[in-house]
Amino acid sequence: MRAKDFLTELWTKPYSLTHRVTGPANLEYNFTTDNARKGRITFDGFLDTDQGGTHVTLVQVAFYIDGEFDTTGQGDAIKIFSTVVSACRSYLTKFKPPVVSFETDDPKKSKVYARMIL
């Protein structure tokens, strides 16, 4: 696959997302893969309310497939990656936290996600 094809696929084919609010600045996005695996992306915001309002100061992002945190190795990585990036962009547009931390089973993934969502 050429780089241009990879980037085109990355940005144009995420899975459809649903979301639910789990706290003042906390959201959970959910999706289902083509082979019926359940994906969940969580955004846990830590709030500073000493400023006279609610301000998100840090958001921790985690991502699971079928409740598993580790890399599954079951394929479909580009579409899943696109879906996680799509959820991140949606969350960051709404809350604009100054600090985002990615919780992953591989430190390299954290760097990749951080570069792709911005």
Side-chain angles (χ1 to χ4, degrees):
M1 179 178 284
R2 295 183 348 226
K4 182 180 178 183
D5 297 331
F6 172 80
L7 291 174
T8 298
E9 185 173 348
L10 182 61
W11 303 124
T12 60
K13 299 181 182 181
Y15 286 109
S16 178
L17 289 165
T18 60
H19 74 277
R20 68 184 186 97
V21 176
T22 57
N26 299 349
L27 289 178
E28 176 181 288
Y29 289 83
N30 296 282
F31 63 95
T32 302
T33 66
D34 290 335
N35 61 355
R37 293 180 294 152
K38 300 294 183 190
R40 181 168 54 105
I41 308 154
T42 60
F43 295 83
D44 294 320
F46 298 90
L47 304 176
D48 175 6
T49 55
D50 295 337
Q51 308 281 327
T54 301
H55 303 282
V56 178
T57 58
L58 168 73
V59 172
Q60 188 163 2
V61 182
F63 150 67
Y64 307 86
I65 291 287
D66 286 338
E68 296 293 323
F69 182 70
D70 297 330
T71 301
T72 66
Q74 294 184 23
D76 211 13
I78 291 174
K79 196 165 184 178
I80 291 170
F81 182 72
S82 298
T83 305
V84 173
V85 170
S86 177
C88 288
R89 285 184 168 169
S90 176
Y91 182 91
L92 295 174
T93 298
K94 180 174 179 145
F95 291 101
K96 298 176 179 49
V99 178
V100 178
S101 171
F102 291 92
E103 191 176 342
T104 72
D105 63 329
D106 179 351
K108 292 178 186 176
K109 285 183 188 176
S110 180
K111 292 177 183 177
V112 170
Y113 280 116
R115 288 183 180 130
M116 295 306 243
I117 63 168
L118 299 175

